[in-house]
Amino acid sequence: MKQKWASIYKCTQLLWSILLVLVIWNLPQYALADINPQEINAIIRTRDIALQALNTRDFAKIQPYLHPNFTITTVDNQIFHKVSEFERYWNQQFSSSIKDIKMQLKGETLRNFLTPEIDVASGEAIASFSFKDGKAADMALRWTAVLQKLQDKWTIQSLHFSSNLLDNPVLNAAQQLGRILAVAAGVGGFLLGAVTMLVLRRRTKQRTERI
């Protein structure tokens, strides 16, 4: 009798374990099934407004579409929680050799709805740099965003960008400028040394003639 009840208990545990695994495994699919096309369009609208804010530097447009506790992580590993701080950082990018930055999405956006109100999206993008010397370059980016629906509006809870540090147009431009400055400094040093030697020789010659 005890063995029978033990066998039933084990079978019951196994059944509940299988059901739990199935529920967890299919949770994103159930959540996705509850998302209608209107919600997807609303998410895309939030994404487009964010891109427009970056490309036009008008961050007042994106303010209503940011989660109260949002986080933005940039390619240089800086983290921002306030629009004013990120806006200051973004505008500082144009104080040196960069004239303009335009960003556009590339390829398909992957989505995983954890719940009907939480969307984890990821994809690729291209940042096009225009430099003040007339040159231009593109940088490939990867991005991940978490969006949460609050008060009938899809807001950005977190946004993260990453890039290949070995293929960075800004870094390459800085390195090229460094090489130019190094060559200029070398040429300047050589000319200064040559002029100094010429002056010393003349002075030595004049002293010799006086003697």
Side-chain angles (χ1 to χ4, degrees), residues 179-193:
R179 288 192 292 268
I180 294 174
L181 293 177
V183 171
V187 173
F190 174 77
L191 294 176
L192 179 61

Side-chain angles (χ1 to χ4, degrees), residues 130-172:
S130 299
F131 297 96
K132 295 179 180 178
D133 60 1
K135 296 181 180 179
D138 292 337
M139 180 170 64
L141 299 173
R142 291 187 181 276
W143 59 272
T144 301
V146 178
L147 296 98
Q148 183 174 356
K149 189 177 182 180
L150 292 177
Q151 299 177 351
D152 295 329
K153 184 183 295 183
W154 282 95
T155 62
I156 300 174
Q157 199 280 329
S158 66
L159 181 60
H160 182 274
F161 290 100
S162 64
S163 67
N164 184 354
L165 295 179
L166 301 179
D167 186 20
N168 188 320
V170 180
L171 180 60
N172 294 339

Side-chain angles (χ1 to χ4, degrees), residues 73-80 86 89 93 139 160-163 165 168:
T73 305
T74 59
V75 293
D76 53 352
N77 203 33
Q78 296 197 48
I79 301 176
F80 300 93
F86 178 77
Y89 158 86
Q93 308 304 309
M139 180 170 64
H160 182 274
F161 290 100
S162 64
S163 67
L165 295 179
N168 188 320

Side-chain angles (χ1 to χ4, degrees), residues 117-132:
E117 289 80 28
I118 298 178
D119 173 29
V120 179
S122 62
E124 300 180 6
I126 295 292
S128 299
F129 290 80
S130 299
F131 297 96
K132 295 179 180 178

Side-chain angles (χ1 to χ4, degrees), residues 192-209:
L192 179 61
V195 172
T196 302
M197 290 297 296
L198 182 60
V199 171
L200 290 176
R201 285 181 180 180
R202 285 184 178 180
R203 288 182 179 178
T204 302
K205 183 177 181 180
Q206 290 175 355
R207 289 177 183 176
T208 303
E209 290 177 351

Side-chain angles (χ1 to χ4, degrees), residues 2 6 28 37 47 55 58 66 73 80 103 136 158 163 166 191 211:
K2 291 183 179 180
R47 179 202 67 188
N55 291 334
D58 186 2
L66 295 177
T73 305
F80 300 93
M103 189 176 301
S158 66
S163 67
L166 301 179
L191 294 176
I211 296 174

